[in-house]
Amino acid sequence: MAGEKAAGEKKPGEKAAREKKRGKKKPAEKKPAEKKPSQREAGEKKKKIKKHHASRNPVLARGIGRYSRSAMYVRKALYKRKYTAPETKIEKKKKEKPRATIVKPVGGDKNGGSRVVKIRKMPRYYPTEDVPRKLLSHGKKPFCQHKRRLRASITPGTVLILLTGRHRGKRVVFLKQLGTGLLLVTGPLVINRVPLRRAHQKFVIATSTKVDISGVKIPKHLTDAYFKKKRLRKPKHQEGEIFDTEKEKYEITEQRKSDQKAVDSQVLARIKKVPQLRGYLRSTFCLSNGVYPHKLVF
Amino acid sequence: VFKRFVEIGRVAFISFGPHAGKLVAIVDVIDQNRALVDGPCSGVRRQAMPFKCMQLTDFVLKFPHSARQKCVRLAWEKENINEKWSATRWAKKIEAREKKAKMTDFDRYKVMKAKKMRNRIIKHEMKKLQRLASKKGKKPEKSDKSEKSEKPEKAQKSAKAQKAQKAQK
C-alpha cells in the first residue's frame, strides 16, 4: 500500500477522483479488485495498475465492524491522505461570480454622490399561500419529444394532393418528413408554382402515384427552423407604427431560390421520365357531380 | 317473350351473395325457389342456391339431371364456357366497370386527356363537314358527306379506346 501511496501522491488528482467515485458508490470501503475500463486506461498511463486493498475492518456481525471510527482512521492512514480534486473548469468558471451590487451616482447636494445598490433585489411580495408542489405526472412529454408517425401510403416520391392552404387542390411531390412531423413537399415550382414547402400529413391525400426519388439529395439545412415564419419582436412600446414595422410582405430570399433550383432540377429529371406526369402535376384536383371521395381510389 | 329458361344445364351468373360474380350450371331444381347448382370450373361447390341470386345466361350445357360434378365439368370444358363467357358483352361490361372503379387519380387524368383529344378530333371533322355542307348549300350531298365522316371517326374512336384501355391497364 505504501508504494501505491507514493505513486498516488505523485498524481493526487487521479487517485482522488477515483476515491471520490468509489466513495460515491459505496460508503463502506469494501472494494473488490475490479477495475473499471476507464480507470484502467488512466492506470495504464501511470504504468502501474492500482490494486485496491480489501476492507481493513473485519466484520464481527452484520453491520458491526471490529474497529471504531477513530481506529479505522488510523488504520487507513487517512491522516496522510489529503486530496483535493483539481479545480475543474466549472469551478474556475464559477469563480467569476456575477456582480451582486453596483455603485450608482446620486444627485443632490451633500449626498455622498453615490450609493451602493443591489442588482438583484429581494422580492417585494410573498404570496400568502405557497403554490403547492405539483404531483409527478407520467407520459406527458413536450412536443419536441412526441413520436412522429407517417402514414404507410406516404413514401418519398409520392404524389400528394394538398387540401388546405393557398395551394389547395394542387398535386405535389413529397420529399421527406421533417423533425416536427410535417412533410417537406415541392411542386416542383415550374410545374405548379408550389415551392419547397411544409404540408401537414392530415390535410393531404396520398395518391398511389410515385416518382422514383431514390437518388435525389435534399440539402441538409432544410429543416423546420428554415421554414418557420419569422416574427419581429421589438415593439419598443411605441404607439402607432407598431404594425408597420412587422414585415407583412413576404420576400423570397436568394437562399430559398437556390435551394428550390437545386432540389427541383433533380426532381424534374425524374418526372420527365414518366409520360404525362408533368401534365398531371400541373392539373388540380376537383370533385364534380357523381364523384364521391369515399368511392374513389387514389 | 322469354328466351332464357331455367333448365338443367343452364349456365347462370350469380349476382349477389358469397359467390357473387361467378358462373354456375343448374344441375337440378329443388323446389320453386331453389336449384341445385354446381360450378366446377368457377370455384363454386355443389350446393343449393336460390333462383333470386342467379341471372340466366345464354349458355346451356348438356348433361342429365343430378349428374355428378365430373360430368358437369366435362360438359363445361367441352363447351368452353369460360372463354365464351369472357367474349360476351356482358362479361366485358363487368370488366370495364371493375377497371373503372380501380382507376387511380393518375389514370383518371390520363383518361380525361385521351377523351379530350378524341372529342376534339371528332369535333374537328364534324366542323369541317359542316362547313363544306354550308358552303355548298342545301344539297343531298350533305347526307353522303356525314356518312363518309363516320368512317374516319370510328377509326379514331378505336384509337381512343385503346388509349383508354392502356390508361386503365
Side-chain angles (χ1 to χ4, degrees), chain B residues 8-165:
Chain B
I8 311 289
R10 173 68 65 179
V11 173
F13 173 80
I14 304 176
S15 52
F16 61 84
H19 295 287
K22 298 186 188 156
L23 290 179
V24 271
I26 296 176
V27 173
D28 206 350
V29 170
I30 299 170
D31 61 11
Q32 205 206 352
N33 303 321
R34 293 179 300 152
L36 177 64
V37 121
D38 198 355
C41 304
S42 50
V44 181
R45 289 206 185 158
R46 182 172 264 240
Q47 59 192 259
M49 197 174 279
F51 287 117
K52 279 203 175 155
C53 69
M54 287 191 273
Q55 293 175 352
L56 304 178
T57 66
D58 287 326
F59 306 119
V60 186
L61 301 171
K62 275 226 110 189
F63 52 77
H65 78 275
S66 313
R68 55 198 250 262
Q69 190 173 54
K70 190 175 172 184
C71 301
V72 177
R73 188 194 292 271
L74 276 174
W76 192 293
E77 280 167 6
K78 186 159 169 227
E79 293 283 319
N80 228 340
I81 298 290
N82 282 341
E83 275 185 31
K84 283 191 188 167
W85 167 251
S86 42
T88 61
R89 282 184 182 260
W90 187 348
K92 287 189 192 151
K93 275 192 268 172
I94 294 171
E95 207 198 314
R97 219 179 297 143
E98 280 173 18
K99 277 203 186 146
K100 191 171 181 192
K102 260 196 264 173
M103 265 204 289
T104 75
D105 198 40
F106 191 21
D107 294 336
R108 261 173 262 131
Y109 169 78
K110 288 191 241 180
V111 166
M112 181 264 283
K113 283 285 171 186
K115 269 193 187 170
K116 209 172 172 187
M117 237 206 298
R118 169 195 188 222
N119 287 337
R120 217 169 257 171
I121 295 172
I122 294 172
K123 236 185 249 173
H124 184 63
E125 292 294 316
M126 270 303 286
K127 292 280 169 164
K128 269 206 280 187
L129 296 166
Q130 279 175 355
R131 254 185 292 125
L132 272 176
S134 64
K135 257 196 208 168
K136 295 202 174 162
K138 288 182 188 169
K139 275 189 185 171
E141 288 176 66
K142 212 200 275 180
S143 51
D144 295 331
K145 294 257 161 76
S146 54
E147 277 173 41
K148 266 193 211 167
S149 71
E150 292 200 24
K151 281 183 204 159
E153 273 176 41
K154 273 180 191 159
Q156 282 139 13
K157 269 185 204 172
S158 60
K160 288 312 131 219
Q162 279 168 25
K163 261 203 186 171
Q165 272 176 20

Side-chain angles (χ1 to χ4, degrees), chain A residues 74-220:
Chain A
V74 170
R75 284 168 70 83
K76 289 201 281 193
L78 291 176
Y79 54 87
K80 276 203 228 168
R81 301 196 213 174
K82 284 212 171 83
Y83 302 113
T84 56
E87 195 183 78
T88 57
K89 284 196 190 151
I90 302 168
E91 286 182 52
K92 271 197 208 151
K93 272 204 181 159
K94 249 200 170 172
K95 279 199 180 153
E96 306 165 11
K97 263 193 181 175
R99 290 226 40 128
T101 62
I102 197 170
V103 177
K104 283 209 164 168
V106 157
D109 223 13
K110 292 200 221 167
N111 238 343
S114 62
R115 296 277 180 276
V116 177
V117 172
K118 272 199 196 174
I119 292 179
R120 301 193 114 225
K121 304 193 177 81
M122 305 298 295
R124 58 170 181 236
Y125 170 73
Y126 288 98
T128 342
E129 282 180 34
D130 285 322
V131 178
R133 239 224 175 137
K134 285 199 172 159
L135 298 168
L136 282 174
S137 71
H138 122 96
K140 313 280 181 289
K141 289 196 192 155
F143 179 70
C144 53
Q145 290 176 29
H146 283 177
K147 232 189 202 179
R148 317 288 175 196
R149 281 171 238 265
L150 188 60
R151 297 209 293 257
S153 51
I154 304 180
T155 62
T158 314
V159 173
L160 307 172
I161 301 177
L162 300 176
L163 295 173
T164 55
R166 57 177 56 206
H167 298 289
R168 63 201 86 122
K170 293 203 181 162
R171 297 183 171 102
V172 124
V173 176
F174 168 66
L175 298 174
K176 69 188 265 221
Q177 188 181 34
L178 301 171
T180 50
L182 296 170
L183 314 177
L184 177 61
V185 128
T186 178
L189 189 66
V190 286
I191 295 184
N192 52 18
R193 292 301 288 168
V194 176
L196 278 168
R197 205 168 201 267
R198 296 187 292 175
H200 192 110
Q201 218 190 123
K202 282 258 170 201
F203 302 110
V204 133
I205 296 180
T207 64
S208 50
T209 320
K210 309 230 188 256
V211 186
D212 184 21
I213 282 206
S214 42
V216 168
K217 289 195 188 74
I218 302 166
K220 289 246 165 85

